[in-house]
């Protein structure tokens, strides 16, 4: 499948979702209807986390987990969210790193960036910056962040090895990688891999657990761990996909 074709399809899909959220419609990542019962995006955050966030940040949550719950964030940390969408994980992280910390949200879709910046203004958060760019070529200096997070986005990238290499590059020595992502369980029919709608819907481009851990190791990460926590029995290819928490560390 052509790399540029994938990127264009992802941009179009998520641009449409951002526009829909701003108009008051819902959003979802998976191929099912959008609701709190969505098998991928539903029921990921606790009410006390979302109660003080702009509603559109919550409505635009397209993830498959809660990466802010995967990692200890400290006062003064610099955090990067790969594929930050409407900004929910950026805003949650900003609370935890405090005024001396900084959170970057990186996204390639203009409509999502506009929505995220609007949510930032509504939330009154100053220690946040949303950047336009490709997660395969992160526009930040080497060794500039303490933590990289992401929520159901790396599976959308055509070149996942390059994404992980870039994440490794921008992390400081000892920096932490903590993402939520979709992984494959068992064999996936080739037709699913070729289906663009399933690719932009979070599952067509997913890696198997062994592939994910191997790519992290190839990028230079250590202490790699993958924890499956939600299997998508409701999807057409029953049992073939799951949400996972994926953690790793850049050596000191």
């Amino acid at each position: 499948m052509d790399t540029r074709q994938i990127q264009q399809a992802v941009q179009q899909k998520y641009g449409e979702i951002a526009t829909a959220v701003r108009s008051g419609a819902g959003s979802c990542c998976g191929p099912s209807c959008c609701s709190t019962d969505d098998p991928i995006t539903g029921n990921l955050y606790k009410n006390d986390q979302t109660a003080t966030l702009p509603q559109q940040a919550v409505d635009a949550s397209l993830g498959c987990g809660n990466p802010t719950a995967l990692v200890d964030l400290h006062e003064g940390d610099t955090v990067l969210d790969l594929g930050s969408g409407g900004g929910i994980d950026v805003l949650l992280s900003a609370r935890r790193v405090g005024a001396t910390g900084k959170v970057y949200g990186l996204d390639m879709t203009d409509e999502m960036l506009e929505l995220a910046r609007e949510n930032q203004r509504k939330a009154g958060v100053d220690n946040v910056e949303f950047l336009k760019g490709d997660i395969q070529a992160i526009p930040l200096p080497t060794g500039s962040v303490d933590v990289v997070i992401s929520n159901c986005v790396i599976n959308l990238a055509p070149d996942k090895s390059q994404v992980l290499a870039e994440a490794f590059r921008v992390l400081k020595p000892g920096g932490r990688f903590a993402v939520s992502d979709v992984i494959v369980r068992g064999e996936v029919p080739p037709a699913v891999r070729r289906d663009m709608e399933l690719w932009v819907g979070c599952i067509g481009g997913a890696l198997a657990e062994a592939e994910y851990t191997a790519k992290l190791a190839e990028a230079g990460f250590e202490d790699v761990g993958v924890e499956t926590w939600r299997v998508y029995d409701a999807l057409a290819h029953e049992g073939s996909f799951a949400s996972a928490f994926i953690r790793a560390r850049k050596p000191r």
Side-chain angles (χ1 to χ4, degrees):
M1 194 178 296
D2 180 74
T3 296
R4 185 59 188 157
Q5 184 184 15
I6 294 170
Q7 289 179 316
Q8 289 175 338
V10 170
Q11 281 183 298
Q12 180 179 346
K13 173 75 172 183
Y14 289 88
E16 290 171 354
I17 291 173
T19 301
V21 168
R22 296 188 75 187
S23 70
S27 66
C28 69
C29 181
S32 63
C33 295
C34 306
S35 72
T36 56
D37 296 324
D38 184 274
I40 295 178
T41 64
N43 302 311
L44 301 177
Y45 299 89
K46 295 180 180 178
N47 290 337
D48 61 348
Q49 290 181 298
T50 59
T52 60
L53 294 178
Q55 186 58 45
Q56 288 187 342
V58 180
D59 291 343
S61 173
L62 305 170
C64 56
N66 181 354
T68 64
L70 301 182
V71 61
D72 290 331
L73 297 180
H74 310 294
E75 287 277 339
D77 275 348
T78 299
V79 179
L80 169 63
D81 182 10
L82 300 178
S84 48
I88 185 170
D89 296 315
V90 170
L91 297 177
L92 290 173
S93 298
R95 293 177 182 171
R96 295 170 61 189
V97 301
T100 59
K102 180 72 176 275
V103 185
Y104 293 100
L106 176 62
D107 206 282
M108 67 177 181
T109 305
D110 289 327
E111 295 89 345
M112 276 296 181
L113 288 165
E114 186 176 354
L115 175 61
R117 289 168 181 147
E118 182 179 320
N119 287 329
Q120 179 188 357
R121 289 192 294 270
K122 289 178 180 177
V125 176
D126 297 324
N127 61 338
V128 161
E129 183 178 351
F130 289 99
L131 307 172
K132 183 174 182 179
D134 186 343
I135 64 173
Q136 298 170 137
I138 298 171
L140 287 174
T142 297
S144 58
V145 303
D146 298 290
V147 181
V148 170
I149 63 173
S150 186
N151 199 348
C152 202
V153 172
I154 295 174
N155 67 81
L156 299 173
D159 189 343
K160 295 166 184 64
S161 294
Q162 181 62 24
V163 175
L164 299 178
E166 278 289 275
F168 186 87
R169 179 185 66 80
V170 300
L171 280 169
K172 299 174 184 177
R176 292 153 287 158
F177 177 90
V179 308
S180 296
D181 216 345
V182 175
I183 62 170
V184 172
R185 292 162 57 91
E187 295 296 321
V188 177
V192 173
R193 295 296 193 192
R194 294 192 298 268
D195 190 314
M196 187 64 73
E197 183 63 24
L198 290 176
W199 191 292
V200 301
C202 303
I203 63 175
L207 294 174
E209 178 178 338
E211 291 179 284
Y212 220 128
T213 57
K215 287 182 182 295
L216 283 165
E218 288 168 7
F221 285 99
E222 62 183 16
D223 300 331
V224 176
V226 178
E227 177 188 348
T228 299
W229 74 283
R230 180 186 282 182
V231 178
Y232 304 142
D233 291 331
L235 298 184
H237 306 282
E238 184 169 334
S240 295
F241 300 93
S243 286
F245 298 145
I246 300 155
R247 301 175 178 86
R249 182 182 294 274
K250 182 174 182 174
R252 293 186 182 278

